Amino acid sequence: MRIAQSWLTEILQRANDGWSVSPAELDAGFVRVGLEVEGEPEQLPEVDGPLTIGRVSTIEELEGFKKPIRFCLVDVGGDEPQQIVCGARNFAEGDLVVVALPGTVLPGGFEIGKRKTYGKPSEGMICSASELGIGSDHSGIIVLAEGTAEPGDPAGPVLAAGAGERDTVIELNVTPDRGYCLSARGLARELACGFDLDFADPAAELGLPSEKETWPLEVTAESGAQRFALRRVTGVDPSARTPWWMARRLLLSGVRPISPAVDVTNYVMLELGHPMHAFDAGRLQGGLVVRRARAGETLTTLDDVERTLDPEDVVICDDRGPISLAGVMGGASTEVSADTTDVLLEAAVWDTLAVFRTIRRHKLPSEAGKRYERGVDAAASIAALDRAATLLAEITGGSVEASLTDVGSAPVMPTIAFDPERPSRVAGVGYPAGTTRRRLEQIGCTVAGDDAVLLEVTAPAWRPDLTLPADLVEEVLRLEGLENIPSVL
């Protein structure tokens, strides 16, 4: 799991005004609560020189070369537009872009200068995210949403997106038993425990209206689906672009921005740990049915591969048959496209074993599948759906319909009778009174009962691994610091 330090800091500052630490202290904070950090925190490289915002005025397609080349005039706020030769295809006239003017030194010591190339003068570079050291995506240049900035504005503050001059990316190796840490929400909660901070859970339901059913739905018992929820966003502007603050967080997490609908679902997955899917509602035919696949059925997935389904696969169907491989990949027939104006958002929780087997059967690993294999918090499904619908409506000018389809529920977690003195006895350490209750509440447990007798502890839905008193002992010892337990013969 790769994540920007600024994202975690922003979440923690909601309940701890002004809180911040250095990258080294952040690294140590994760290690303190038992998370494994991969290598050193990666500080984003500096860009030296005149990096600015530009607007593409005109594009001339140059012919006669082995690859597509464009000669662009770009307004950078001066008296005359800048002449720049560029090979990228993902921008158009009128788009806001990031321009490295002559004299700019990009990461790696690459200095931009004036030159003649492909028979045209070029006075700068229109930059991609990878050229600026923001992620590894080099599939196209950065195109900013309208209103982000004006031509001639310094690009540095825009690219930092409130993160300061130099952000840091940290990568963690999340073990299978701690799937909740595959999210900004889970990692921020762990840091709150490690630094003994208050925590404001970002997975809060927004209370959006749910006056009627969004879309007809049937979930069969054989599917093993724990929860399946739908919300609809209409009036989506197909030309809308993902705002840079969101695209930046996706890039730094290793996810390539594609379009607002896709980016919102990926963003909420990274933020709350709940995978989602977006259907083009205009391409759906009839109600949805969640069931096991039937022998001989096929599905063309989003990677344009026709797959023969196995009766163990769980699929989402409309009147035509399978349109999505549950928890793994959507289908091409209902894919959100450049013309989509009506989006149906899905937040579902699937049987972990079914997803595990489907991924390996079809050789389709994914970020969503990685989370479903480890378990997803069904109690956060509506919060994730509300968050995604609200973001998509804000970005695209659409409207969230006052309706909700919600089948299933979060699991009822068992209550564990627990002796608050047990962690002290196991560790051989005299922990202060109240330590057990405080630490268990920090990880999200509901704790009732008398500290002098027995506690009644109910684990949160995102911690299905907490089923025995020994599991609770381990959590208290972990957060109090395993390094503080003495070695005594």
Side-chain angles (χ1 to χ4, degrees):
M1 173 78 182
R2 285 173 56 87
I3 191 164
Q5 179 174 350
S6 59
W7 195 352
L8 298 172
T9 300
E10 186 270 326
I11 292 175
L12 289 171
Q13 284 182 344
R14 296 174 189 178
N16 306 274
D17 189 39
W19 179 86
S20 67
V21 292
S22 68
E25 290 170 324
L26 184 76
D27 185 321
F30 278 127
V31 172
R32 191 159 54 244
V33 294
L35 287 169
E36 181 182 344
V37 179
E38 296 278 6
E40 295 293 325
E42 175 190 331
Q43 195 165 35
L44 298 189
E46 288 185 296
V47 176
D48 184 40
L51 193 68
T52 189
I53 302 297
R55 187 183 298 279
V56 180
S57 302
T58 63
I59 298 175
E60 177 188 348
E61 303 288 347
L62 302 183
E63 305 293 339
F65 300 101
K66 292 183 179 179
K67 61 180 182 178
I69 297 296
R70 308 168 111 184
F71 177 64
C72 308
L73 294 181
V74 184
D75 175 13
V76 293
D79 295 333
E80 297 292 332
Q82 211 78 5
Q83 303 175 95
I84 300 176
V85 174
C86 182
R89 311 293 299 171
N90 67 314
F91 65 99
E93 292 180 356
D95 281 347
L96 282 175
V97 295
V98 178
V99 179
L101 298 175
T104 302
V105 181
L106 298 178
F110 181 61
E111 183 172 356
I112 304 300
K114 296 182 180 181
R115 61 195 178 105
K116 189 171 185 179
T117 182
Y118 297 100
K120 294 285 188 178
S122 188
E123 306 166 340
M125 174 188 284
I126 303 176
C127 299
S128 70
S130 62
E131 288 162 343
L132 297 172
I134 305 172
S136 58
D137 179 41
H138 51 77
S139 59
I141 57 94
I142 295 171
V143 179
L144 301 171
E146 191 60 39
T148 302
E150 294 297 326
D153 288 349
V158 175
L159 295 175
E165 289 299 319
R166 296 185 70 187
D167 204 352
T168 300
V169 176
I170 192 162
E171 184 169 2
L172 299 112
N173 179 24
V174 179
T175 53
D177 61 323
R178 301 179 77 176
Y180 65 95
C181 286
L182 289 172
S183 67
R185 175 199 187 197
L187 292 176
R189 183 185 292 277
E190 288 294 295
L191 284 176
C193 294
F195 288 100
D196 219 2
L197 303 171
D198 293 330
F199 180 70
D201 193 346
E205 293 188 16
L206 302 179
L208 298 185
S210 52
E211 300 168 1
K212 57 182 179 178
E213 188 178 62
T214 293
W215 202 271
L217 172 68
E218 177 189 353
V219 179
T220 64
E222 66 174 11
S223 69
Q226 191 175 81
R227 194 169 196 178
F228 195 105
L230 297 164
R231 271 204 189 276
R232 191 173 177 181
V233 181
T234 58
V236 169
D237 179 3
S239 66
R241 292 191 179 274
T242 301
W244 173 247
W245 66 265
M246 179 181 290
R248 181 183 186 277
R249 286 180 172 177
L250 292 174
L251 286 164
L252 293 178
S253 298
V255 178
R256 180 170 66 90
I258 297 173
S259 67
V262 176
D263 295 345
V264 160
T265 59
N266 283 331
Y267 181 80
V268 172
M269 177 183 69
L270 293 173
E271 181 183 46
L272 303 183
H274 202 306
M276 304 187 67
H277 184 66
F279 297 98
D280 184 334
R283 300 171 73 178
L284 292 172
Q285 295 182 15
L288 300 181
V289 178
V290 181
R291 59 170 172 82
R292 296 279 178 171
R294 294 167 186 153
E297 285 187 317
T298 61
L299 170 67
T300 300
T301 44
L302 289 173
D303 56 0
D304 291 324
V305 175
E306 184 177 4
R307 302 181 185 278
T308 301
L309 302 176
D310 186 277
E312 194 181 20
D313 292 331
V314 180
V315 290
I316 304 168
C317 308
D318 66 2
D319 289 351
R320 294 164 295 184
I323 58 171
S324 182
L325 199 52
V328 180
M329 185 175 286
S333 63
T334 55
E335 178 183 9
V336 172
S337 69
D339 301 320
T340 300
T341 59
D342 189 352
V343 176
L344 185 66
L345 292 170
E346 164 226 308
V349 177
W350 307 104
D351 176 71
T352 56
L353 185 57
V355 173
F356 176 86
R357 289 177 172 169
T358 296
I359 287 172
R360 279 144 190 83
R361 183 181 303 114
H362 295 282
K363 298 180 175 61
L364 268 177
S366 67
E367 287 296 319
K370 185 190 301 181
R371 287 161 175 81
Y372 279 126
E373 288 177 349
R374 290 160 170 79
V376 168
D377 181 9
S381 294
I382 303 306
L385 199 59
D386 288 357
R387 174 72 164 147
T390 302
L391 284 170
L392 183 60
E394 289 175 354
I395 293 168
T396 64
S399 300
V400 181
E401 287 203 340
S403 57
L404 172 70
T405 297
D406 183 17
V407 175
S409 61
V412 177
M413 303 300 289
T415 296
I416 304 168
F418 190 64
D419 181 354
E421 295 300 318
R422 186 166 177 171
S424 292
R425 291 199 302 272
V426 171
V429 175
Y431 294 124
T435 297
T436 295
R437 179 185 291 271
R438 180 172 65 88
R439 288 302 189 182
L440 293 179
E441 287 178 341
Q442 278 185 327
I443 63 172
C445 292
T446 300
V447 183
D450 188 346
D451 285 46
V453 189
L454 277 180
L455 299 178
E456 296 177 353
V457 182
T458 305
W462 64 85
R463 292 300 304 271
D465 56 311
L466 303 180
T467 60
L468 300 171
D471 300 327
L472 303 181
V473 170
E474 182 181 2
E475 290 299 294
V476 175
L477 269 55
R478 174 176 71 90
L479 298 182
E480 283 297 305
L482 297 176
E483 71 280 4
N484 296 325
I485 300 174
S487 178
V488 180
L489 287 176

